[in-house]
Amino acid sequence: MAGTVVLGIESSCDETGAGLVRDGRLLGQALASSIDEHARFGGVVPEIAARAHLEAFTPVVREALDRAGLRPADVGAVAVTTGPGLSGALQVGLAGAKTLAHSLGVPLYGVHHLAGHVAADTLEHGPLPDPCVVLIVSGGHTSLLLVRDLARDPVVHLGDTLDDAAGECFDKAARLFGLPYPGGPAIDRAAREGDPGAVAFPRPLTGPRDDPYAFSFSGLKTAAARWAERYRARGERPPLADGAASLQEAVADVLTRKAVAACREHGVGTLVVVGGVAANSRVRALAEERCRAAGIALRVPPLRLCTDNGAMIAAVGDLLVRAGAAPAPLDLSVDPSAPLEYAALHPVGRAAPALV
């Protein structure tokens, strides 16, 4: 229903997000991250993430409402990430969202996390073209999708990662290079001073016999590890700026090459690049360069909407509400490994208890 204020809740990993959207317009959002608590472990610790969500949930929702100039009574629907993600973290968000929806007497919608990334772009650039090709690149996911009506139609997977996602490759390579967590931003910073052609890293699955839209970054990570080990075996310090720039170039080359090829093959005039790795400067620049050369319109959300946030979940909820989609059942649960088929994700079953 038009005019409904949708509150979105995101808690799939290490960021607690709340956002408010009405008729495709972002009214306000807030975010709390526990990334500093995970940094010393070199990656996200699920138990720490879940407890951080418990502590941040209420303050984040209040802050989002304050920034939007709204009261809880103004909320007409609640949307929440129900998968994929860390089980305990998802449970915290779902428990809070159910409580809010019940206390306010409003419908609840379960949302697929990756559909949220896709919808994030609508908050900046308006409705998605029908059809469009979407490249999702994040710490755990790398996929090429053919998207029509996100609220109504199934999402068509053109290709997915077979092993490590692009962001996972950055994180693991950064650790091997001795760079801090999270690896993506650290690689991007180090690469600014390096030569992207210094190291001939492989371009996985780009041969004539390979699946044209599948991704694999595990071998690239291994190549980066061996490159660094060769220097250390000689007692030398690896030239990290060159290594980071060359690794980043390899990832950006594969991602954008396959995405533009998908647009051409399917006769689609718009490429949308979303997810945390969409914040990478080289991915953005090379996508822009190749889309311009191919006559393809490129849409990339602003940096604040690339990483996990509540606004993107609210954006999906807003689309579902306006499309007249049915709300979630009362026994809505979570699915930590849910494939992306539809934007709405309403798994049911006995939910695991939230941490206390």
Side-chain angles (χ1 to χ4, degrees):
M1 183 174 62
T4 299
V5 174
V6 180
L7 169 64
I9 303 296
E10 158 61 22
S11 69
S12 65
C13 191
D14 59 348
E15 289 168 316
T16 311
L20 295 130
V21 172
R22 178 174 56 208
D23 295 338
R25 186 169 69 90
L26 177 59
L27 306 177
Q29 69 166 325
L31 191 70
S33 175
S34 59
I35 195 167
D36 290 343
E37 299 176 55
H38 304 286
R40 63 194 178 102
F41 299 102
V44 176
V45 180
E47 293 82 0
I48 292 176
R51 294 188 182 278
H53 288 307
L54 277 171
E55 296 174 1
F57 185 93
T58 298
V60 163
V61 171
R62 285 176 176 165
E63 184 179 350
L65 286 166
D66 288 344
R67 290 184 174 182
L70 297 173
R71 301 166 302 157
D74 296 319
V75 173
V78 177
V80 61
T81 302
T82 47
L86 303 175
S87 180
L90 290 167
Q91 291 288 355
V92 173
L94 177 59
K98 281 186 173 181
T99 301
L100 286 170
H102 179 73
S103 63
L104 296 172
V106 300
L108 177 68
Y109 295 84
V111 170
H112 196 287
H113 176 78
L114 296 184
H117 279 301
V118 177
D121 183 73
T122 67
L123 299 176
E124 182 71 15
H125 300 121
L128 293 170
D130 179 3
C132 60
V133 168
V134 178
L135 172 64
I136 296 182
V137 275
S138 68
H141 305 275
T142 301
S143 297
L144 264 176
L145 312 172
L146 183 63
V147 175
R148 295 190 179 277
D149 186 324
L150 186 61
R152 294 182 173 91
D153 296 333
V155 174
V156 178
H157 287 248
L158 302 177
D160 297 283
T161 186
L162 303 179
D163 41 56
D164 287 358
E168 190 176 1
C169 176
F170 280 148
D171 283 340
K172 291 178 177 178
R175 183 185 303 179
L176 295 167
F177 290 175
L179 296 172
Y181 177 84
I187 292 283
D188 203 350
R189 288 191 299 270
R192 294 170 190 166
E193 306 300 323
D195 175 4
V199 187
F201 284 133
R203 269 51 171 176
L205 294 185
T206 55
R209 296 185 180 181
D210 292 318
D211 185 328
Y213 305 129
F215 298 96
S216 170
F217 293 105
S218 179
L220 179 57
K221 170 203 65 183
T222 301
R226 289 175 176 169
W227 171 81
E229 287 167 359
R230 283 196 294 270
Y231 281 92
R232 292 181 177 127
R234 300 195 297 262
E236 301 174 10
R237 179 181 173 84
L240 295 182
D242 286 347
S246 299
L247 177 70
Q248 181 173 262
E249 187 69 18
V251 171
D253 181 20
V254 172
L255 292 174
T256 57
R257 186 190 308 190
K258 288 175 178 274
V260 169
C263 290
R264 284 173 166 161
E265 180 177 340
H266 292 274
V268 174
T270 301
L271 172 65
V272 184
V273 183
V274 298
V277 180
N280 179 271
S281 63
R282 185 54 183 157
V283 170
R284 295 169 81 97
L286 192 54
E288 182 176 350
E289 175 185 324
R290 287 180 166 169
C291 282
R292 186 187 306 112
I296 296 168
L298 175 66
R299 293 175 40 154
V300 186
L303 298 181
R304 73 181 189 283
L305 294 176
C306 286
T307 53
D308 295 350
N309 60 84
M312 70 186 199
I313 305 305
V316 176
D318 174 64
L319 292 173
L320 294 172
V321 168
R322 288 190 282 151
L330 294 176
D331 56 348
L332 177 66
S333 186
V334 301
D335 185 347
S337 57
L340 175 57
E341 298 174 341
Y342 288 89
L345 179 61
H346 291 169
V348 296
R350 184 175 179 181
L355 297 177
V356 294

